[in-house]
Amino acid sequence: MDAQNKEVDALVQKITGLHAAIAKLPSLSPSPDVDALFTDLVTACVPPSPVDVTKLGSEAQEMREGLIRLCSEAEGKLEAHYSDMLAAFDNPLDHLGMFPYYSNYINLSKLEYELLARYVPGGIAPARVAFIGSGPLPFSSYVLAARHLPDAMFDNYDLCSAANDRASKLFRADKDVGARMSFHTADVADLTGELAAYDVVFLAALVGMAAEDKAKVIAHLGAHMADGAALVVRSAHGARGFLYPIVDPQDIGRGGFEVLAVCHPDDDVVNSVIIAHKSKDVHANERPNGRGGQYARGAVPVVSPPCRFGEMVADVTHKREEFTNAEVAF
């Protein structure tokens, strides 16, 4: 136990130092300094760790919340930068590999599709899909539409109109996927009747960054999605909770869903994935003490792919070099 405590303390100290350095940056727009610090941060957070970030002290919790917000801002600026770069091409979709982390989206979307196909009752063949928090580079929607759900229509929602404008430009030359993509500027809290039309709703990791905000979003989805519709929630696990919010499956259950599977990858897919579906009888099976929402009938399967951390570190280093050497105007 002492060894674990020392490991956790050392990690928190390292992350605290990186947070301080990132907070002092004059800008979070892409640059060699920004890229180097965030690469160090990701490399520190992805290995398996005994840390439970939800149980850290108040000072560490405050640091973590601030760090997640900085990560969100930096991620938004990075995606906007590359979205503008890609939009300069006649067919932007032919050049998506320019984005240093495009392969991560390929792997995450593949994982999400496979979990949906495996655990959603009756399989998955959606006609309409919503992605909440799609951003200026809607890679997840694109990969799902192009590789896994070729018959589905995708509605992408984001709070930022500029992000939607950027995203829509990427599909202007594509007659297949582009015809199945639409972009809407809206707060998820304002979506009501629209949500009932979707067979699957994806909730991006950074929609609702505080735990209580995330729980409110999930409860809103539960109030308006159709019975039987699937929900895919991106979360985090272990030290990766310094990068993204952690979603408690209990909050998903309390929101009116039945949790079907929880996956904590330990490779280059940083986000955890929770698969659930809207169940009309979910509250009828609520636990007697009133504290916990509904999980799946029986034990919830927790799926962890084989660890590829060594390969991932090499890949991150390679991507860092690619980014540094890219001919971009900072």
Side-chain angles (χ1 to χ4, degrees), residues 265-285:
D266 52 14
D267 56 7
D268 59 338
V269 175
V270 176
N271 290 117
S272 295
V273 178
I274 303 173
I275 304 293
H277 78 152
K278 175 72 177 299
S279 176
K280 62 183 178 182
D281 61 352
V282 69
H283 296 297
N285 297 318

Side-chain angles (χ1 to χ4, degrees), residues 5-6 11 17 19 56 62 74 76 96 99 116 123 127 138 142 148 158 162 166 174 202 228 289 326 329:
N5 289 338
K6 289 180 179 178
L11 177 64
H19 169 255
L56 296 175
E62 184 177 352
L96 300 184
F99 186 68
L116 282 167
Y142 171 72
H148 306 297
D158 200 278
R166 284 186 165 101
D174 189 276
F202 287 81
N289 60 19

Side-chain angles (χ1 to χ4, degrees), residues 65 240 297 321 330:
E65 291 174 5
R240 299 174 185 213
R297 295 174 179 85
E321 293 172 353
F330 294 119

Side-chain angles (χ1 to χ4, degrees), residues 131-134 202-208 214 232-234:
F131 196 99
I132 310 296
S134 48
F202 287 81
L203 184 63
L206 293 172
V207 175
K214 185 80 72 172
V232 182
V233 179
R234 292 179 178 178

Side-chain angles (χ1 to χ4, degrees), residues 21-169:
I22 291 169
K24 290 177 182 176
L25 289 167
S27 170
L28 293 178
S29 295
S31 72
D33 288 344
V34 170
D35 179 57
L37 280 172
F38 278 100
T39 298
D40 289 345
L41 177 63
V42 172
T43 303
C45 291
V46 292
S49 169
V51 67
D52 181 346
V53 299
T54 65
K55 295 180 179 179
L56 296 175
S58 59
E59 186 175 342
Q61 289 288 3
E62 184 177 352
M63 178 275 293
R64 173 181 169 252
E65 291 174 5
L67 181 58
I68 289 174
R69 295 187 184 279
L70 290 172
C71 289
S72 175
E73 182 181 349
E75 187 172 309
K77 291 181 180 296
L78 179 68
E79 291 189 0
H81 179 84
Y82 272 90
S83 187
D84 290 342
M85 184 188 300
L86 289 167
F89 292 99
D90 291 337
N91 190 343
L93 299 184
D94 289 341
H95 305 275
L96 300 184
M98 292 181 63
F99 186 68
Y101 306 105
Y102 179 55
S103 63
N104 293 39
Y105 286 91
I106 293 175
N107 294 334
L108 174 56
S109 298
K110 179 175 183 289
L111 173 63
E112 289 172 329
Y113 171 74
E114 290 175 346
L115 290 170
L116 282 167
R118 181 175 179 182
Y119 292 106
V120 171
I124 189 74
R128 294 192 66 185
V129 175
F131 196 99
I132 310 296
S134 48
L137 277 182
F139 283 157
S140 294
S141 290
Y142 171 72
V143 173
L144 287 162
R147 298 188 177 211
H148 306 297
L149 300 171
D151 299 318
M153 303 293 291
F154 281 75
D155 286 324
N156 298 279
Y157 293 93
D158 200 278
L159 277 171
C160 178
S161 60
N164 285 324
D165 290 342
R166 284 186 165 101
S168 62
K169 291 176 182 177

